[in-house]
Amino acid sequence: MLKVQNLVKNYFSGNIKTKALNKVNLEISKGEFVAIMGPSGCGKSTLLNILGMLDKPSKGKIYFNNLEVSQYSEKKRTNLRKKNISFVFQSFNLIDELSVYENVELPLLYLNVPSKTREKEVKNVLENMKILHKKNHFPQQLSGGQQQIVAIARAVISKPKLILADEPTGNLDSLNGKEVMKLLTKLNKNGTTIIMVTHSLSEAKKSHRIIRLFDGYIITENFQ
């Protein structure tokens, strides 16, 4: 599904160059659950953003479903992304002015899905995630765990091939964190490919493979 070759990402501040990723080579198969670990500043989120086509590499190639996408324009990356990839962030990124129902419905609006189909799909997802009773609530009326479940519902509503999760339990207590991990594991068992950045070894062990980054390099890959 995903392949990167000799991936390099540089950032510049004045005349100072920082190499966030250095000759990263990686392949991820359809249906895998991959965890990315490493200390803060090692390049984890940068790698996730490039894999999700939110950012472009400085050098190297990226293949998504056998398409070489590293030099795609922003418009082409956006079109490919919205049909195939969804994101789950540590900070939830829900829209405060929208209800739970409206937040989850949003990706279907972007895809021009008819209203009756949207209604059916949103209801099904909220029922499956046991949060339908909160559909008219606003994000600030929910617990952190509930907000993250809504964020995951929004991520899966468009039936993406790939979910990229950046510290999805980072702002949650242990009980809510376990619920979110159960949900991600269930989604993966149902066929969704998941790449997750995490600092938690116990959560990483629920994946099929743990990739460790250090100073922009992949230093180890361990299969579970």
Side-chain angles (χ1 to χ4, degrees):
M1 171 177 273
L2 266 173
K3 181 179 179 180
V4 298
Q5 293 179 327
N6 296 317
L7 196 68
V8 174
K9 182 63 180 179
N10 299 321
Y11 292 105
F12 292 88
S13 179
N15 294 324
I16 300 173
K17 180 171 77 172
T18 301
K19 190 162 282 191
L21 295 172
N22 199 348
K23 295 183 179 178
V24 170
N25 290 282
L26 176 64
E27 288 191 46
I28 293 171
S29 300
K30 181 181 178 181
E32 266 199 290
F33 187 167
V34 177
I36 301 174
M37 301 191 74
S40 296
C42 72
K44 301 186 301 296
S45 293
T46 299
L47 178 57
L48 207 67
N49 287 340
I50 291 176
L51 293 177
M53 289 177 264
L54 292 175
D55 200 0
K56 293 172 71 173
S58 302
K59 294 180 182 178
K61 293 182 178 181
I62 307 168
Y63 296 87
F64 182 80
N65 285 340
N66 296 317
L67 295 172
E68 208 280 282
V69 301
S70 55
Q71 297 305 316
Y72 270 22
S73 66
E74 175 60 31
K75 183 177 180 180
K76 287 185 74 173
R77 294 203 315 272
T78 299
N79 287 335
L80 187 61
R81 192 169 57 233
K82 72 181 182 181
K83 295 174 184 176
N84 295 282
I85 302 172
S86 289
F87 297 84
V88 179
F89 299 98
Q90 178 178 347
S91 55
F92 317 136
N93 284 10
L94 299 176
I95 299 173
D96 289 338
E97 294 77 19
L98 299 183
S99 67
V100 165
Y101 182 98
E102 292 166 334
N103 266 284
V104 174
E105 181 187 33
L106 203 56
L108 300 184
L109 287 170
Y110 291 144
L111 293 170
N112 298 313
V113 174
S115 60
K116 287 186 178 180
T117 304
R118 292 200 309 270
E119 183 178 356
K120 179 182 177 181
E121 293 293 332
V122 174
K123 182 181 178 182
N124 285 343
V125 167
L126 293 178
E127 276 185 339
N128 287 338
M129 299 196 176
K130 300 178 182 178
I131 203 163
L132 181 62
H133 62 293
K134 299 284 187 181
K135 70 176 184 177
N136 295 320
H137 286 60
F138 290 89
Q140 60 269 29
Q141 296 174 301
L142 306 177
S143 69
Q146 289 170 336
Q147 288 186 61
Q148 192 61 292
I149 289 169
V150 173
I152 293 171
R154 182 182 60 187
V156 302
I157 190 74
S158 58
K159 299 179 175 65
K161 296 179 177 67
L162 172 65
I163 290 178
L164 301 175
D166 196 355
E167 297 280 0
T169 65
N171 284 334
L172 305 179
D173 59 37
S174 60
L175 183 61
N176 282 310
K178 287 178 181 177
E179 289 302 311
V180 167
M181 287 306 303
K182 282 181 185 178
L183 193 50
L184 290 175
T185 301
K186 180 180 178 181
L187 290 169
N188 176 249
K189 286 181 178 177
N190 289 336
T192 305
T193 305
I194 296 177
I195 305 173
M196 176 182 69
V197 165
T198 182
H199 283 290
S200 168
L201 182 58
S202 63
E203 291 176 2
K205 285 181 177 179
K206 298 183 186 303
S207 70
H208 303 147
R209 179 168 37 138
I210 301 175
I211 295 169
R212 293 183 183 272
L213 288 179
F214 187 77
D215 286 350
Y217 294 91
I218 291 179
I219 55 172
T220 61
E221 287 189 61
N222 296 317
F223 288 85
Q224 308 284 60

